[in-house]
Amino acid sequence: MALWSILLDILQRPSPFAVMAELSMLVAPLWIAVFVGVLVGWSWRPKWAILANQSDTAPQSPASSSFKLQLPSCISWISSEYSRQPNSSSTSPPPTTTLASDSSASQPGKGKSSIVSTDDLQYLCKLVEVKDDGPAWIQMMDRSTQTMSYEAWRRDPESGPPQYRSRTVYEDATPEMLRDFFWDDEFRKKWDDMLIHSETLEECPTTGTMMVQWVRKFPFFCSDREYIIGRRIWESGRKYYCVTKGVSNSVPRRNKPRRVDLYYSSWCIRAVESKRDGQLTACEVLLFHYEDMGIPWEIAKLGIRQGMWGAVKKIEPGLRLYQKERGSGAPLSRSGYMAQINSKVSPDYLRLLENSSSSTCSTSSESEIETSGDSSEKAQGGGSIPKVLVVGGAIALACSLDRGLLTKAVIFGVARRFAKMGRRL
């Protein structure tokens, strides 16, 4: 009642200028308090938060390593399949700066290619066919434009961060074009404004396996993030199984940018019927993604829900520009060329993977793998949390505890939700 009477008294001022002046004097202390709260929260972080940050640079124990191996982002992605080189008519690649194509590269568990294994292909196949025995997927979104449709689902595993599944269908696109588009780090910088640095650390010209370093940009109150990613592509009849995931590596850690370890993002690309004429002129991308954001899962879910569609809509303009440049005869980048080195697997072998356990898969005969020549081959989860959080405390918590990627969708989504809550209050 006191606040209401103060507002009425202000609104009865004789001029609009006087009203604005009085309202400014009323609101200013609130904003000052928020600002001071942010500064104090950042400066006086508790010791347990500082120790959590420092643990990023500490050697991992065998127990923690084994725990991470149970999570999708630590699934390895390489098999000893032989692979074909891209069609000779393809644009010649630029010179390779780093190479990891020793004689053991095509053997499981040996060489740099062991960062990705057949177990990863099996896991992705099970995700695609909904045979991974995980929790049920909950639909979050169903949106579309004239040339794109998008659906998204989420599920909450017993341990680890929320996992996301999406299905995007692009009209007038081929599987090969989308395969190259998502793999091309040099071109990605034209449409992904969060990627500020990419570098190939290792590559295998026989299997197409790559180890790359990404640095992604974040708002001023959070440091940039570094990723060390292992990736590879398998092909089965113009259906492409692509994996990117955080991998163990010998790259020294730095305070800035901060390393993201728990990261998994893999997708299956295949041609589907167009909604316009029923022909196979559209392309479907099934994406499975999760990463350690280092903040309570409930906050992350709120932010992703709010920012997901806006982020997805920015991808298609990049794809259409990529199609235009490729159609004009622009040369392939090195990473775009590596996207065309795929390992060919038969549909029968994929069905075997989908219906067998990991141990069975790892002991299966490598003769099932064919050579491909055209290459168009809640660890601590945040349970329920109060719906009303102090803005300064939330930002300080995200910055001091964040050991993983705080995506743009989360940052702006959470900000939007707090703004709406503030207006209701």
Side-chain angles (χ1 to χ4, degrees):
M1 292 298 294
L3 178 61
W4 180 247
S5 62
I6 292 174
L7 289 175
L8 287 177
D9 184 59
I10 291 174
L11 294 175
Q12 291 174 359
R13 292 292 186 273
S15 68
F17 177 78
V19 171
M20 294 299 298
E22 292 287 346
L23 288 176
S24 299
M25 293 178 63
L26 179 66
V27 173
L30 299 178
W31 283 109
I32 293 173
V34 170
F35 181 72
V36 172
V38 172
L39 292 180
V40 172
W42 178 257
S43 302
W44 291 354
R45 286 176 292 175
K47 291 183 178 180
W48 56 268
I50 298 174
L51 291 175
N53 288 339
Q54 292 174 346
S55 66
D56 282 348
T57 59
Q60 295 182 351
S61 66
S64 65
S65 299
S66 62
F67 169 75
K68 285 191 175 184
L69 287 173
Q70 299 174 12
L71 300 171
S73 77
C74 291
I75 301 175
S76 55
W77 261 81
I78 252 199
S79 62
S80 60
E81 310 101 310
Y82 299 103
S83 58
R84 298 189 309 187
Q85 298 299 321
N87 193 315
S88 58
S89 63
S90 300
T91 305
S92 299
T96 305
T97 55
T98 57
L99 196 61
S101 57
D102 54 271
S103 59
S104 63
S106 61
Q107 300 179 14
K110 296 183 180 181
K112 294 297 181 183
S113 61
S114 62
I115 62 174
V116 191
S117 74
T118 308
D119 288 342
D120 300 303
L121 174 60
Q122 181 187 33
Y123 184 80
L124 181 55
C125 288
K126 287 178 177 290
L127 286 173
V128 170
E129 302 301 329
V130 198
K131 295 181 179 180
D132 64 311
D133 298 325
W137 293 100
I138 303 171
Q139 187 166 28
M140 299 171 56
M141 186 173 297
D142 187 353
R143 302 281 186 89
S144 63
T145 65
Q146 290 185 347
T147 55
M148 179 191 73
S149 63
Y150 179 77
E151 298 176 88
W153 298 261
R154 190 200 77 243
R155 68 182 182 183
D156 300 301
E158 292 183 1
S159 62
Q163 300 177 359
Y164 295 90
R165 174 182 186 266
S166 68
R167 178 181 183 267
T168 312
V169 176
Y170 297 96
E171 296 288 338
D172 302 317
T174 65
E176 291 75 26
M177 185 64 68
L178 277 162
R179 173 201 62 190
D180 298 351
F181 170 70
F182 286 116
W183 224 245
D184 195 327
D185 289 344
E186 289 82 351
F187 188 84
R188 177 180 284 270
K189 296 172 185 176
K190 296 183 179 181
W191 60 271
D192 184 352
D193 56 6
M194 291 186 69
L195 182 64
I196 58 177
H197 173 79
S198 65
E199 179 183 355
T200 299
L201 303 178
E202 302 280 356
E203 66 181 41
C204 177
T206 304
T207 62
T209 304
M210 302 178 70
M211 181 187 291
V212 300
Q213 179 190 50
W214 279 9
V215 177
R216 295 177 72 80
K217 181 181 179 181
F218 287 83
F220 69 94
F221 51 78
C222 290
S223 61
D224 295 339
R225 297 295 186 265
E226 176 193 42
Y227 300 78
I228 306 298
I229 298 171
R231 62 190 193 184
R232 188 180 177 181
I233 302 175
W234 282 265
E235 182 266 332
S236 179
R238 294 195 69 203
K239 183 187 294 185
Y240 298 94
Y241 294 84
C242 313
V243 156
T244 69
K245 56 145 190 172
V247 294
S248 301
N249 59 86
S250 59
V251 180
R253 290 178 180 270
R254 298 172 290 176
N255 291 332
K256 293 183 179 181
R258 297 172 62 181
R259 180 75 56 82
V260 175
D261 293 309
L262 194 56
Y263 174 82
Y264 179 82
S265 189
S266 301
W267 53 91
C268 175
I269 304 174
R270 55 193 174 191
V272 293
E273 292 183 356
S274 169
K275 63 182 179 182
R276 295 184 300 206
D277 56 16
Q279 302 298 313
L280 292 177
T281 55
C283 192
E284 173 192 76
V285 180
L286 289 174
L287 169 69
F288 303 89
H289 179 95
Y290 84 87
E291 55 187 280
D292 179 11
M293 296 185 179
I295 61 174
W297 310 141
E298 296 301 323
I299 292 180
K301 288 190 288 189
L302 282 175
I304 289 176
R305 176 182 290 275
Q306 294 295 322
M308 179 180 288
W309 177 237
V312 169
K313 286 192 297 183
K314 294 181 180 180
I315 298 176
E316 190 185 13
L319 171 62
R320 303 308 175 187
L321 178 60
Y322 191 69
Q323 289 176 313
K324 183 177 180 180
E325 290 195 6
R326 289 287 297 272
S328 67
L332 277 173
S333 67
R334 181 68 193 179
S335 54
Y337 171 79
M338 291 298 292
Q340 298 187 356
I341 303 178
N342 311 148
S343 299
K344 185 176 176 64
V345 294
S346 67
D348 290 338
Y349 184 68
L350 291 179
R351 283 191 289 271
L352 174 65
L353 294 181
E354 294 164 9
N355 298 299
S356 61
S357 63
S358 296
S359 58
T360 304
C361 167
S362 61
T363 58
S364 64
S365 172
E366 292 300 335
S367 63
E368 297 289 343
I369 311 300
E370 302 175 4
T371 301
S372 170
D374 167 71
S375 215
S376 287
E377 212 208 87
K378 288 171 194 156
Q380 281 197 354
S384 61
I385 62 173
K387 290 186 177 180
V388 180
L389 298 175
V390 179
V391 176
I395 296 176
L397 177 65
C399 296
S400 61
L401 297 185
D402 187 4
R403 301 180 58 223
L405 171 63
L406 185 61
T407 61
K408 181 182 294 183
V410 174
I411 296 167
F412 292 105
V414 171
R416 184 186 305 173
R417 178 55 63 94
F418 278 126
K420 291 181 179 178
M421 291 168 60
R423 285 196 293 270
R424 288 198 298 269
L425 295 175

